[in-house]
Amino acid sequence: MSIAGQWDIAVDTPMGVQKSVLSLATDGQTLSGELLNQFGSTPLKEGLVDGEKLTWILQPMIPMPMTLKFEASVSGDTISGAVTSTLGTSPLTGARKA
């Protein structure tokens, strides 16, 4: 499973669909990268690869400080999963950028 690269993702939140570009890299079981959207760039923290499961945390400051916990998996050129925050859990979908 190759997950390195850029992904167009969408998270269906209670505040509407949030679209972003997710850049991912791996080094063994360590997952790193950043999320870029209209609010700026936020680095991934505590990123892990466990088989097909990917987990990481984002702590954006804009539009408000929050902690977002991501769980996702990659299948070919698609990514799917969920994001958990104080607002609940929201589905994540996306595709590898061409």
Side-chain angles (χ1 to χ4, degrees), residues 42-88:
T42 305
L44 276 65
K45 297 182 178 184
E46 301 179 30
L48 294 174
V49 178
D50 183 9
E52 294 183 5
K53 182 179 174 184
L54 313 175
T55 58
W56 68 93
I57 292 173
L58 289 178
Q59 293 179 308
M61 299 304 291
I62 300 171
M64 62 185 149
M66 66 180 82
T67 298
L68 305 171
K69 296 180 181 181
F70 288 74
E71 286 191 17
S73 60
V74 170
S75 177
D77 289 333
T78 61
I79 188 169
S80 61
V83 183
T84 302
S85 72
T86 56
L87 301 175

Side-chain angles (χ1 to χ4, degrees), residues 9-24:
I9 66 166
V11 179
D12 192 2
T13 75
M15 299 178 342
V17 175
Q18 304 296 312
K19 294 185 178 181
S20 305
V21 174
L22 178 64
S23 296
L24 298 176

